[in-house]
Amino acid sequence: MIEISESAADYFRGLIAAQDLPGLGIRLRAIAAGTPQGDCHLEFCEPRDLRGDEWEIECQGFSLFVEADSTTALDGANIDFNRDATGGQLSIKAPGLRGVAPAADASVVERVRYLIDAEVNPKLASHGGHVSLREITAEGIVILQFGGGCHGCGMSEVTLRNGIEKTLREKIPEVTGVRDVTDHKSGSKPYYDRKVG
């Protein structure tokens, strides 16, 4: 069930009225649901844009359509609109949208993956880079591969030791070290070029 406050419904009614298209509704979908990057996307939709498997929430004067693939992540969401001097702010609070951090007794793999997605990759994204988990050895060594701007970057070793390894070891006691298996010589767009010689 999704709750829409009266102020949010008024806001949507105003947007739809300004478009002056018969049968126009609002479509809501989740993006990257279940991950720390989970977000919501709203857009206008005409009846011809509907696939037929959406949840329809009938509001006075319009319908909100929730994409079928997004219903689990958005169940229990609350949509509100707070008016202010600059117009207002629409907010969508969906408790299940970003998933939850694994419990302390979850597997090491689950906890490492979550930490990479939630903390490491968002920081690397500012340089156009990311890391992927390749494996975790029986000795607790996390094997990673760099990509994007980190592939071939002259600072990848510093990032690995002072950023990624430090974070993983502090937060996951079973992690004993981190190793990079990236062929950095093949990196085509590194954030910082490697010095040769």
Side-chain angles (χ1 to χ4, degrees), residues 64-172:
L64 176 76
F65 298 96
V66 181
E67 284 196 352
D69 296 344
S70 301
T71 55
T72 302
L74 296 174
D75 192 23
N78 182 292
I79 304 173
D80 195 13
F81 183 77
N82 294 310
R83 296 192 184 283
D84 60 28
T86 62
Q89 176 76 34
L90 183 71
S91 65
I92 302 174
K93 295 180 182 171
L97 179 62
R98 294 187 174 153
V100 294
D105 62 350
S107 74
V108 175
V109 172
E110 287 176 278
R111 289 181 285 144
V112 167
R113 274 203 177 111
Y114 184 84
L115 202 56
I116 287 171
D117 289 341
E119 293 187 31
V120 174
N121 278 334
K123 290 176 185 171
L124 297 179
S126 66
H127 291 178
H130 62 273
V131 292
S132 306
L133 176 63
R134 289 293 166 236
E135 71 175 291
I136 301 175
T137 69
E139 295 78 28
I141 304 292
V142 175
I143 311 296
L144 298 174
Q145 184 167 0
F146 283 96
C150 294
H151 185 184
C153 179
M155 295 298 289
S156 61
E157 183 66 22
V158 173
T159 300
L160 185 74
R161 297 289 163 232
N162 296 342
I164 300 170
E165 183 173 40
K166 184 177 177 187
T167 298
L168 292 175
R169 290 185 74 176
E170 282 176 359
K171 299 191 176 183
I172 304 172

